[in-house]
PDB file of all heavy atoms in Angstrom:
ATOM      1  N   GLY V 417      -0.923   4.089  -4.963  1.00 89.00           N
ATOM      2  CA  GLY V 417      -1.037   2.821  -5.670  1.00 89.00           C
ATOM      3  C   GLY V 417      -2.238   2.708  -6.578  1.00 89.00           C
ATOM      4  O   GLY V 417      -2.214   1.966  -7.565  1.00 89.00           O
ATOM      5  N   ASP V 418      -3.324   3.425  -6.257  1.00 92.00           N
ATOM      6  CA  ASP V 418      -4.526   3.308  -7.088  1.00 92.00           C
ATOM      7  C   ASP V 418      -4.975   4.642  -7.692  1.00 92.00           C
ATOM      8  O   ASP V 418      -6.087   4.759  -8.188  1.00 92.00           O
ATOM      9  CB  ASP V 418      -5.677   2.663  -6.305  1.00 92.00           C
ATOM     10  CG  ASP V 418      -5.971   3.370  -4.989  1.00 92.00           C
ATOM     11  OD1 ASP V 418      -5.879   4.607  -4.952  1.00 92.00           O
ATOM     12  OD2 ASP V 418      -6.306   2.682  -4.003  1.00 92.00           O
ATOM     13  N   GLY V 419      -4.119   5.653  -7.634  1.00 94.00           N
ATOM     14  CA  GLY V 419      -4.416   6.908  -8.313  1.00 94.00           C
ATOM     15  C   GLY V 419      -5.504   7.747  -7.677  1.00 94.00           C
ATOM     16  O   GLY V 419      -6.150   8.544  -8.357  1.00 94.00           O
ATOM     17  N   ASN V 420      -5.697   7.604  -6.376  1.00 95.00           N
ATOM     18  CA  ASN V 420      -6.753   8.330  -5.664  1.00 95.00           C
ATOM     19  C   ASN V 420      -6.169   9.551  -4.959  1.00 95.00           C
ATOM     20  O   ASN V 420      -5.373   9.420  -4.030  1.00 95.00           O
ATOM     21  CB  ASN V 420      -7.409   7.384  -4.663  1.00 95.00           C
ATOM     22  CG  ASN V 420      -8.555   7.993  -3.875  1.00 95.00           C
ATOM     23  OD1 ASN V 420      -9.139   7.341  -3.028  1.00 95.00           O
ATOM     24  ND2 ASN V 420      -8.922   9.248  -4.138  1.00 95.00           N
ATOM     25  N   LEU V 421      -6.554  10.744  -5.422  1.00 96.00           N
ATOM     26  CA  LEU V 421      -6.072  11.989  -4.825  1.00 96.00           C
ATOM     27  C   LEU V 421      -7.137  12.592  -3.928  1.00 96.00           C
ATOM     28  O   LEU V 421      -8.285  12.760  -4.328  1.00 96.00           O
ATOM     29  CB  LEU V 421      -5.718  13.000  -5.926  1.00 96.00           C
ATOM     30  CG  LEU V 421      -5.336  14.401  -5.441  1.00 96.00           C
ATOM     31  CD1 LEU V 421      -3.985  14.377  -4.713  1.00 96.00           C
ATOM     32  CD2 LEU V 421      -5.304  15.395  -6.598  1.00 96.00           C
ATOM     33  N   HIS V 422      -6.740  12.928  -2.697  1.00 95.00           N
ATOM     34  CA  HIS V 422      -7.593  13.705  -1.802  1.00 95.00           C
ATOM     35  C   HIS V 422      -7.108  15.153  -1.873  1.00 95.00           C
ATOM     36  O   HIS V 422      -6.063  15.502  -1.327  1.00 95.00           O
ATOM     37  CB  HIS V 422      -7.511  13.171  -0.371  1.00 95.00           C
ATOM     38  CG  HIS V 422      -8.032  11.778  -0.233  1.00 95.00           C
ATOM     39  ND1 HIS V 422      -9.235  11.382  -0.759  1.00 95.00           N
ATOM     40  CD2 HIS V 422      -7.504  10.680   0.374  1.00 95.00           C
ATOM     41  CE1 HIS V 422      -9.428  10.104  -0.482  1.00 95.00           C
ATOM     42  NE2 HIS V 422      -8.399   9.661   0.202  1.00 95.00           N
ATOM     43  N   LEU V 423      -7.882  15.970  -2.542  1.00 97.00           N
ATOM     44  CA  LEU V 423      -7.549  17.371  -2.745  1.00 97.00           C
ATOM     45  C   LEU V 423      -8.312  18.205  -1.727  1.00 97.00           C
ATOM     46  O   LEU V 423      -9.535  18.103  -1.616  1.00 97.00           O
ATOM     47  CB  LEU V 423      -7.937  17.788  -4.170  1.00 97.00           C
ATOM     48  CG  LEU V 423      -7.803  19.258  -4.525  1.00 97.00           C
ATOM     49  CD1 LEU V 423      -6.349  19.686  -4.546  1.00 97.00           C
ATOM     50  CD2 LEU V 423      -8.472  19.531  -5.872  1.00 97.00           C
ATOM     51  N   ASN V 424      -7.589  19.006  -0.959  1.00 96.00           N
ATOM     52  CA  ASN V 424      -8.196  19.830   0.087  1.00 96.00           C
ATOM     53  C   ASN V 424      -7.741  21.273  -0.070  1.00 96.00           C
ATOM     54  O   ASN V 424      -6.552  21.546  -0.210  1.00 96.00           O
ATOM     55  CB  ASN V 424      -7.785  19.324   1.475  1.00 96.00           C
ATOM     56  CG  ASN V 424      -8.353  17.959   1.795  1.00 96.00           C
ATOM     57  OD1 ASN V 424      -9.312  17.839   2.536  1.00 96.00           O
ATOM     58  ND2 ASN V 424      -7.765  16.910   1.226  1.00 96.00           N
ATOM     59  N   VAL V 425      -8.693  22.184  -0.014  1.00 97.00           N
ATOM     60  CA  VAL V 425      -8.407  23.607  -0.085  1.00 97.00           C
ATOM     61  C   VAL V 425      -8.977  24.237   1.176  1.00 97.00           C
ATOM     62  O   VAL V 425     -10.178  24.115   1.452  1.00 97.00           O
ATOM     63  CB  VAL V 425      -9.026  24.255  -1.336  1.00 97.00           C
ATOM     64  CG1 VAL V 425      -8.756  25.759  -1.358  1.00 97.00           C
ATOM     65  CG2 VAL V 425      -8.488  23.588  -2.603  1.00 97.00           C
ATOM     66  N   THR V 426      -8.123  24.899   1.947  1.00 96.00           N
ATOM     67  CA  THR V 426      -8.586  25.497   3.202  1.00 96.00           C
ATOM     68  C   THR V 426      -8.678  27.019   3.070  1.00 96.00           C
ATOM     69  O   THR V 426      -7.908  27.643   2.338  1.00 96.00           O
ATOM     70  CB  THR V 426      -7.657  25.146   4.381  1.00 96.00           C
ATOM     71  OG1 THR V 426      -6.356  25.704   4.155  1.00 96.00           O
ATOM     72  CG2 THR V 426      -7.537  23.640   4.545  1.00 96.00           C
ATOM     73  N   ALA V 427      -9.643  27.569   3.794  1.00 95.00           N
ATOM     74  CA  ALA V 427      -9.859  29.015   3.831  1.00 95.00           C
ATOM     75  C   ALA V 427     -10.321  29.390   5.226  1.00 95.00           C
ATOM     76  O   ALA V 427     -10.685  28.526   6.031  1.00 95.00           O
ATOM     77  CB  ALA V 427     -10.895  29.430   2.795  1.00 95.00           C
ATOM     78  N   GLU V 428     -10.303  30.688   5.535  1.00 93.00           N
ATOM     79  CA  GLU V 428     -10.741  31.129   6.853  1.00 93.00           C
ATOM     80  C   GLU V 428     -12.195  30.753   7.117  1.00 93.00           C
ATOM     81  O   GLU V 428     -12.576  30.402   8.223  1.00 93.00           O
ATOM     82  CB  GLU V 428     -10.567  32.644   6.985  1.00 93.00           C
ATOM     83  CG  GLU V 428      -9.119  33.107   7.017  1.00 93.00           C
ATOM     84  CD  GLU V 428      -8.381  32.670   8.273  1.00 93.00           C
ATOM     85  OE1 GLU V 428      -9.052  32.239   9.236  1.00 93.00           O
ATOM     86  OE2 GLU V 428      -7.145  32.746   8.290  1.00 93.00           O
ATOM     87  N   ALA V 429     -13.024  30.836   6.077  1.00 91.00           N
ATOM     88  CA  ALA V 429     -14.453  30.519   6.200  1.00 91.00           C
ATOM     89  C   ALA V 429     -14.981  30.155   4.827  1.00 91.00           C
ATOM     90  O   ALA V 429     -14.295  30.320   3.805  1.00 91.00           O
ATOM     91  CB  ALA V 429     -15.223  31.722   6.759  1.00 91.00           C
ATOM     92  N   PHE V 430     -16.196  29.619   4.802  1.00 88.00           N
ATOM     93  CA  PHE V 430     -16.809  29.294   3.522  1.00 88.00           C
ATOM     94  C   PHE V 430     -16.922  30.551   2.671  1.00 88.00           C
ATOM     95  O   PHE V 430     -17.314  31.618   3.150  1.00 88.00           O
ATOM     96  CB  PHE V 430     -18.203  28.694   3.733  1.00 88.00           C
ATOM     97  CG  PHE V 430     -18.953  28.457   2.446  1.00 88.00           C
ATOM     98  CD1 PHE V 430     -18.704  27.330   1.687  1.00 88.00           C
ATOM     99  CD2 PHE V 430     -19.879  29.379   1.986  1.00 88.00           C
ATOM    100  CE1 PHE V 430     -19.384  27.111   0.494  1.00 88.00           C
ATOM    101  CE2 PHE V 430     -20.567  29.175   0.803  1.00 88.00           C
ATOM    102  CZ  PHE V 430     -20.314  28.035   0.053  1.00 88.00           C
ATOM    103  N   SER V 431     -16.561  30.405   1.406  1.00 90.00           N
ATOM    104  CA  SER V 431     -16.606  31.537   0.481  1.00 90.00           C
ATOM    105  C   SER V 431     -17.247  31.100  -0.826  1.00 90.00           C
ATOM    106  O   SER V 431     -16.764  30.167  -1.467  1.00 90.00           O
ATOM    107  CB  SER V 431     -15.187  32.064   0.222  1.00 90.00           C
ATOM    108  OG  SER V 431     -15.155  32.886  -0.919  1.00 90.00           O
ATOM    109  N   GLN V 432     -18.319  31.758  -1.211  1.00 91.00           N
ATOM    110  CA  GLN V 432     -18.967  31.435  -2.472  1.00 91.00           C
ATOM    111  C   GLN V 432     -18.036  31.749  -3.651  1.00 91.00           C
ATOM    112  O   GLN V 432     -18.023  31.034  -4.656  1.00 91.00           O
ATOM    113  CB  GLN V 432     -20.270  32.230  -2.612  1.00 91.00           C
ATOM    114  CG  GLN V 432     -21.197  31.738  -3.710  1.00 91.00           C
ATOM    115  CD  GLN V 432     -21.738  30.341  -3.437  1.00 91.00           C
ATOM    116  OE1 GLN V 432     -22.214  30.047  -2.337  1.00 91.00           O
ATOM    117  NE2 GLN V 432     -21.664  29.461  -4.431  1.00 91.00           N
ATOM    118  N   GLU V 433     -17.233  32.789  -3.503  1.00 95.00           N
ATOM    119  CA  GLU V 433     -16.288  33.144  -4.559  1.00 95.00           C
ATOM    120  C   GLU V 433     -15.246  32.046  -4.753  1.00 95.00           C
ATOM    121  O   GLU V 433     -14.925  31.660  -5.886  1.00 95.00           O
ATOM    122  CB  GLU V 433     -15.587  34.458  -4.216  1.00 95.00           C
ATOM    123  CG  GLU V 433     -14.550  34.876  -5.253  1.00 95.00           C
ATOM    124  CD  GLU V 433     -13.664  36.020  -4.788  1.00 95.00           C
ATOM    125  OE1 GLU V 433     -13.830  36.456  -3.630  1.00 95.00           O
ATOM    126  OE2 GLU V 433     -12.809  36.443  -5.576  1.00 95.00           O
ATOM    127  N   LEU V 434     -14.730  31.533  -3.643  1.00 96.00           N
ATOM    128  CA  LEU V 434     -13.737  30.469  -3.732  1.00 96.00           C
ATOM    129  C   LEU V 434     -14.360  29.192  -4.286  1.00 96.00           C
ATOM    130  O   LEU V 434     -13.745  28.494  -5.103  1.00 96.00           O
ATOM    131  CB  LEU V 434     -13.123  30.218  -2.359  1.00 96.00           C
ATOM    132  CG  LEU V 434     -11.951  29.227  -2.286  1.00 96.00           C
ATOM    133  CD1 LEU V 434     -10.861  29.590  -3.289  1.00 96.00           C
ATOM    134  CD2 LEU V 434     -11.394  29.181  -0.872  1.00 96.00           C
ATOM    135  N   LEU V 435     -15.576  28.897  -3.859  1.00 93.00           N
ATOM    136  CA  LEU V 435     -16.273  27.724  -4.395  1.00 93.00           C
ATOM    137  C   LEU V 435     -16.438  27.854  -5.904  1.00 93.00           C
ATOM    138  O   LEU V 435     -16.243  26.882  -6.646  1.00 93.00           O
ATOM    139  CB  LEU V 435     -17.641  27.572  -3.721  1.00 93.00           C
ATOM    140  CG  LEU V 435     -18.501  26.393  -4.202  1.00 93.00           C
ATOM    141  CD1 LEU V 435     -17.816  25.060  -3.911  1.00 93.00           C
ATOM    142  CD2 LEU V 435     -19.875  26.430  -3.542  1.00 93.00           C
ATOM    143  N   GLY V 436     -16.780  29.057  -6.367  1.00 95.00           N
ATOM    144  CA  GLY V 436     -16.944  29.279  -7.798  1.00 95.00           C
ATOM    145  C   GLY V 436     -15.648  29.116  -8.572  1.00 95.00           C
ATOM    146  O   GLY V 436     -15.660  28.725  -9.746  1.00 95.00           O
ATOM    147  N   ALA V 437     -14.524  29.402  -7.926  1.00 97.00           N
ATOM    148  CA  ALA V 437     -13.231  29.218  -8.581  1.00 97.00           C
ATOM    149  C   ALA V 437     -12.823  27.745  -8.636  1.00 97.00           C
ATOM    150  O   ALA V 437     -12.026  27.335  -9.490  1.00 97.00           O
ATOM    151  CB  ALA V 437     -12.162  30.026  -7.849  1.00 97.00           C
ATOM    152  N   LEU V 438     -13.379  26.953  -7.715  1.00 97.00           N
ATOM    153  CA  LEU V 438     -13.047  25.530  -7.658  1.00 97.00           C
ATOM    154  C   LEU V 438     -13.976  24.676  -8.516  1.00 97.00           C
ATOM    155  O   LEU V 438     -13.544  23.693  -9.131  1.00 97.00           O
ATOM    156  CB  LEU V 438     -13.122  25.053  -6.203  1.00 97.00           C
ATOM    157  CG  LEU V 438     -11.988  25.494  -5.286  1.00 97.00           C
ATOM    158  CD1 LEU V 438     -12.358  25.256  -3.827  1.00 97.00           C
ATOM    159  CD2 LEU V 438     -10.709  24.752  -5.633  1.00 97.00           C
ATOM    160  N   GLU V 439     -15.236  25.025  -8.530  1.00 95.00           N
ATOM    161  CA  GLU V 439     -16.227  24.226  -9.250  1.00 95.00           C
ATOM    162  C   GLU V 439     -16.904  25.067 -10.325  1.00 95.00           C
ATOM    163  O   GLU V 439     -17.285  26.220 -10.064  1.00 95.00           O
ATOM    164  CB  GLU V 439     -17.276  23.695  -8.267  1.00 95.00           C
ATOM    165  CG  GLU V 439     -16.701  22.822  -7.171  1.00 95.00           C
ATOM    166  CD  GLU V 439     -17.761  22.349  -6.175  1.00 95.00           C
ATOM    167  OE1 GLU V 439     -18.970  22.426  -6.498  1.00 95.00           O
ATOM    168  OE2 GLU V 439     -17.381  21.915  -5.083  1.00 95.00           O
ATOM    169  N   PRO V 440     -17.011  24.518 -11.531  1.00 95.00           N
ATOM    170  CA  PRO V 440     -16.726  23.133 -11.926  1.00 95.00           C
ATOM    171  C   PRO V 440     -15.299  22.880 -12.404  1.00 95.00           C
ATOM    172  O   PRO V 440     -15.029  21.826 -12.994  1.00 95.00           O
ATOM    173  CB  PRO V 440     -17.721  22.927 -13.059  1.00 95.00           C
ATOM    174  CG  PRO V 440     -17.786  24.258 -13.733  1.00 95.00           C
ATOM    175  CD  PRO V 440     -17.670  25.276 -12.617  1.00 95.00           C
ATOM    176  N   TYR V 441     -14.376  23.830 -12.164  1.00 97.00           N
ATOM    177  CA  TYR V 441     -13.014  23.705 -12.702  1.00 97.00           C
ATOM    178  C   TYR V 441     -12.380  22.363 -12.331  1.00 97.00           C
ATOM    179  O   TYR V 441     -11.802  21.683 -13.193  1.00 97.00           O
ATOM    180  CB  TYR V 441     -12.152  24.857 -12.191  1.00 97.00           C
ATOM    181  CG  TYR V 441     -10.741  24.830 -12.729  1.00 97.00           C
ATOM    182  CD1 TYR V 441     -10.448  25.353 -13.985  1.00 97.00           C
ATOM    183  CD2 TYR V 441      -9.700  24.283 -11.977  1.00 97.00           C
ATOM    184  CE1 TYR V 441      -9.152  25.335 -14.488  1.00 97.00           C
ATOM    185  CE2 TYR V 441      -8.402  24.255 -12.463  1.00 97.00           C
ATOM    186  CZ  TYR V 441      -8.139  24.780 -13.720  1.00 97.00           C
ATOM    187  OH  TYR V 441      -6.860  24.743 -14.214  1.00 97.00           O
ATOM    188  N   VAL V 442     -12.455  21.988 -11.052  1.00 98.00           N
ATOM    189  CA  VAL V 442     -11.830  20.734 -10.602  1.00 98.00           C
ATOM    190  C   VAL V 442     -12.426  19.541 -11.339  1.00 98.00           C
ATOM    191  O   VAL V 442     -11.700  18.626 -11.770  1.00 98.00           O
ATOM    192  CB  VAL V 442     -11.998  20.568  -9.081  1.00 98.00           C
ATOM    193  CG1 VAL V 442     -11.628  19.150  -8.642  1.00 98.00           C
ATOM    194  CG2 VAL V 442     -11.161  21.589  -8.330  1.00 98.00           C
ATOM    195  N   TYR V 443     -13.739  19.537 -11.518  1.00 97.00           N
ATOM    196  CA  TYR V 443     -14.396  18.411 -12.173  1.00 97.00           C
ATOM    197  C   TYR V 443     -14.085  18.367 -13.662  1.00 97.00           C
ATOM    198  O   TYR V 443     -13.872  17.291 -14.233  1.00 97.00           O
ATOM    199  CB  TYR V 443     -15.906  18.490 -11.936  1.00 97.00           C
ATOM    200  CG  TYR V 443     -16.269  18.489 -10.471  1.00 97.00           C
ATOM    201  CD1 TYR V 443     -17.072  19.490  -9.931  1.00 97.00           C
ATOM    202  CD2 TYR V 443     -15.791  17.503  -9.626  1.00 97.00           C
ATOM    203  CE1 TYR V 443     -17.405  19.492  -8.586  1.00 97.00           C
ATOM    204  CE2 TYR V 443     -16.117  17.493  -8.278  1.00 97.00           C
ATOM    205  CZ  TYR V 443     -16.921  18.496  -7.762  1.00 97.00           C
ATOM    206  OH  TYR V 443     -17.232  18.500  -6.432  1.00 97.00           O
ATOM    207  N   ALA V 444     -14.043  19.526 -14.303  1.00 97.00           N
ATOM    208  CA  ALA V 444     -13.717  19.574 -15.726  1.00 97.00           C
ATOM    209  C   ALA V 444     -12.270  19.122 -15.956  1.00 97.00           C
ATOM    210  O   ALA V 444     -11.978  18.387 -16.908  1.00 97.00           O
ATOM    211  CB  ALA V 444     -13.938  20.985 -16.261  1.00 97.00           C
ATOM    212  N   TRP V 445     -11.357  19.567 -15.062  1.00 98.00           N
ATOM    213  CA  TRP V 445      -9.956  19.160 -15.157  1.00 98.00           C
ATOM    214  C   TRP V 445      -9.835  17.642 -15.024  1.00 98.00           C
ATOM    215  O   TRP V 445      -9.102  16.988 -15.776  1.00 98.00           O
ATOM    216  CB  TRP V 445      -9.166  19.855 -14.059  1.00 98.00           C
ATOM    217  CG  TRP V 445      -7.678  19.859 -14.217  1.00 98.00           C
ATOM    218  CD1 TRP V 445      -6.905  20.871 -14.701  1.00 98.00           C
ATOM    219  CD2 TRP V 445      -6.767  18.795 -13.851  1.00 98.00           C
ATOM    220  NE1 TRP V 445      -5.575  20.509 -14.667  1.00 98.00           N
ATOM    221  CE2 TRP V 445      -5.461  19.245 -14.157  1.00 98.00           C
ATOM    222  CE3 TRP V 445      -6.933  17.524 -13.319  1.00 98.00           C
ATOM    223  CZ2 TRP V 445      -4.326  18.462 -13.936  1.00 98.00           C
ATOM    224  CZ3 TRP V 445      -5.809  16.730 -13.098  1.00 98.00           C
ATOM    225  CH2 TRP V 445      -4.526  17.206 -13.397  1.00 98.00           C
ATOM    226  N   THR V 446     -10.566  17.094 -14.072  1.00 97.00           N
ATOM    227  CA  THR V 446     -10.544  15.643 -13.854  1.00 97.00           C
ATOM    228  C   THR V 446     -11.096  14.903 -15.058  1.00 97.00           C
ATOM    229  O   THR V 446     -10.542  13.871 -15.480  1.00 97.00           O
ATOM    230  CB  THR V 446     -11.368  15.297 -12.593  1.00 97.00           C
ATOM    231  OG1 THR V 446     -10.815  15.977 -11.466  1.00 97.00           O
ATOM    232  CG2 THR V 446     -11.359  13.799 -12.331  1.00 97.00           C
ATOM    233  N   ALA V 447     -12.187  15.391 -15.620  1.00 97.00           N
ATOM    234  CA  ALA V 447     -12.789  14.751 -16.786  1.00 97.00           C
ATOM    235  C   ALA V 447     -11.847  14.759 -17.984  1.00 97.00           C
ATOM    236  O   ALA V 447     -11.793  13.799 -18.760  1.00 97.00           O
ATOM    237  CB  ALA V 447     -14.108  15.438 -17.140  1.00 97.00           C
TER     238      ALA V 447
END
Side-chain angles (χ1 to χ4, degrees):
D418 54 37
N420 182 181
L421 174 69
H422 296 312
L423 174 67
N424 293 257
V425 178
T426 64
E428 292 292 346
F430 174 81
S431 164
Q432 194 65 48
E433 178 191 3
L434 186 52
L435 179 63
L438 286 166
E439 300 178 17
Y441 182 83
V442 168
Y443 302 126
W445 196 99
T446 301

